[in-house]
């Protein structure tokens, strides 16, 4: 699985009971030879998780207000480095018409972002 996990070695070992050292085959965790969770893991602290939750709630409120004001443009993200959009996996092409020329080229472009820089920025702007 991809995503973020809590940076807690005990929880990691409960989530993947077969992991000893190295990469987990279940979750985005890497345990080094000393038995600690490595920076190669996709993990955040409890505080960072809480900051992310708070930020997400704030963002949902902001987006909800914008939608209620009539801002309903179709603007999926586009990860520049990977050349990926959510449209690749979406079943609603026929409804939104994004790929039929409507709103063409109006992606929300996401550059190469660093997880730590984002978490730092979120914590700063609470
Ligand atoms: S196909 Fe349309 S609804 Fe689906 S992710 Fe893309 S823009 Fe959004």
């Amino acid at each position: 699985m991809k995503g973020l996990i809590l940076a807690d070695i005990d929880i990691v070992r409960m989530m993947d009971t077969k992991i000893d050292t190295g990469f987990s085959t279940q979750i985005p965790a890497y345990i080094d030879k000393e038995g600690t969770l490595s920076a190669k893991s996709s993990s955040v602290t409890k505080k960072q998780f809480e900051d992310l939750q708070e930020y997400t709630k704030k963002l949902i409120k902001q987006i909800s207000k914008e939608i209620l004001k009539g801002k309903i443009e179709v603007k999926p993200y586009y990860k520049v480095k990977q050349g990926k959009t959510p449209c690749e996996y979406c079943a609603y092409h026929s409804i939104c018409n994004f790929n039929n020329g409507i709103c063409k080229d109006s992606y929300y472009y996401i550059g190469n972002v660093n997880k730590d820089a984002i978490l730092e920025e979120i914590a700063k702007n609470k």
Side-chain angles (χ1 to χ4, degrees):
M1 289 186 285
K2 291 182 178 177
L4 290 173
I5 57 169
L6 188 62
D8 182 320
I9 190 71
D10 295 330
I11 292 175
V12 165
R13 290 195 183 283
M14 281 190 262
M15 291 174 80
D16 182 350
T17 55
K18 293 190 173 119
I19 191 170
D20 181 23
T21 58
F23 279 109
S24 164
T25 56
Q26 311 295 315
I27 56 174
Y30 183 91
I31 297 178
D32 60 25
K33 287 175 185 162
E34 289 76 38
T36 57
L37 200 58
S38 158
K40 293 177 185 172
S41 304
S42 182
S43 63
V44 293
T45 64
K46 187 170 186 265
K47 170 83 172 70
Q48 289 171 323
F49 251 128
E50 289 166 354
D51 288 349
L52 271 171
Q53 285 176 317
E54 194 178 310
Y55 178 76
T56 304
K57 282 179 191 166
K58 204 163 98 179
L59 207 56
I60 288 170
K61 274 186 194 169
Q62 180 192 322
I63 292 169
S64 301
K65 283 180 186 169
E66 288 173 5
I67 289 172
L68 288 172
K69 285 180 185 167
K71 187 179 176 190
I72 54 166
E73 65 185 336
V74 179
K75 196 166 184 165
Y77 71 76
Y78 184 98
K79 285 186 177 178
V80 176
K81 192 176 177 190
Q82 296 92 346
K84 292 209 176 258
T85 80
C87 306
E88 295 167 38
Y89 314 101
C90 182
Y92 299 106
H93 294 257
S94 59
I95 297 170
C96 78
N97 279 322
F98 185 75
N99 289 334
N100 292 333
I102 298 171
C103 298
K104 198 174 179 187
D105 297 329
S106 61
Y107 286 104
Y108 177 73
Y109 290 94
I110 300 175
N112 197 14
V113 285
N114 173 290
K115 181 187 85 180
D116 294 331
I118 291 171
L119 290 169
E120 200 174 296
E121 195 64 29
I122 287 173
K124 249 195 283 175
N125 294 304
K126 282 180 60 183

